[in-house]
Structure formats: structure tokens, C-alpha cells
Amino acid sequence: MTSIDDILKMAANVQEEMAKAQASLDTMEVEGVSGGGLVKIKATAKGRITGVDIDETLLSPTEKTMLEDLIAAALNDARAKADAVSNTQMQKMTAGMQLPPGFQLPS
């Protein structure tokens, strides 16, 4: 049977590894794209937006609605990619850990 000290050490190790994984997510970059590349949003895997690139052809008043839609689509694409990278990294981090039955890591 595992002692309470072993469980506490395991929990501290899990917490430390999760902090490392979270910190690394802010250094990984993803790019959301829409309109065939007319709008590009760069973000960290943690979801922080780091850059926006809008093709000049969209910068006319008649393209306002389309531009707004493309920005929203690119943001959503970046967010989905950031979530995918984040989930993959967290799965890698927890793959080798022996957690007690029923123990769930926060997401």
C-alpha cells in the first residue's frame, strides 16, 4: 500500500511538472489562418495572441464585414490549434506518471 508521504511526494512532483508544462506552452507558437491566408493570427499554445497579419486587399471600407468574419475565423482557428498543442503536451507530460486510481489532473 502506498503511504500518505508517497502520495504527497507524487502530488508535489505532478504539480511541479504541470507548472513546467504550462510555462512551456507559452513558448510554443501556433498560427490560425482564414480566407486562404488573407488573415493570419499567431498565438502561443496557451492562447495568448502574439501577432496579426491582414492582407492589404481587405483594408477597404467595402470589405469591413468580410474582414471582421475572417479575423474571428482566424482567432478561432488559432485557439483550436493552441488547445490541440496544449492537450498533446499535457498528455505527453502525464504519460509516464503513475497516478493513484481515480486521480484526475486539472485541465
Side-chain angles (χ1 to χ4, degrees):
M1 179 182 277
T2 305
S3 74
I4 191 71
D5 288 335
D6 291 339
I7 292 172
L8 290 175
K9 286 177 188 175
M10 196 181 314
N13 188 29
V14 168
Q15 188 174 16
E16 182 180 320
E17 291 299 315
M18 286 199 55
K20 287 179 189 176
Q22 288 291 324
S24 75
L25 291 177
D26 210 33
T27 63
M28 295 177 187
E29 195 170 84
V30 296
E31 183 176 71
V33 179
S34 67
L38 293 175
V39 175
K40 298 175 186 172
I41 304 289
K42 289 186 180 183
T44 67
K46 210 168 180 179
R48 185 173 52 87
I49 303 301
T50 59
V52 177
D53 181 36
I54 300 171
D55 189 276
E56 289 181 12
T57 61
L58 296 173
L59 298 179
S60 73
T62 60
E63 301 296 331
K64 180 182 181 301
T65 302
M66 183 191 309
L67 178 57
E68 291 168 346
D69 291 343
L70 290 174
I71 290 171
L75 284 167
N76 288 330
D77 187 43
R79 181 73 240 176
K81 289 176 180 175
D83 288 345
V85 169
S86 176
N87 289 337
T88 299
Q89 289 303 108
M90 294 308 274
Q91 286 175 352
K92 285 181 188 176
M93 193 261 321
T94 59
M97 291 184 183
Q98 295 178 349
L99 301 174
F103 185 82
Q104 295 291 320
L105 291 173
S107 48

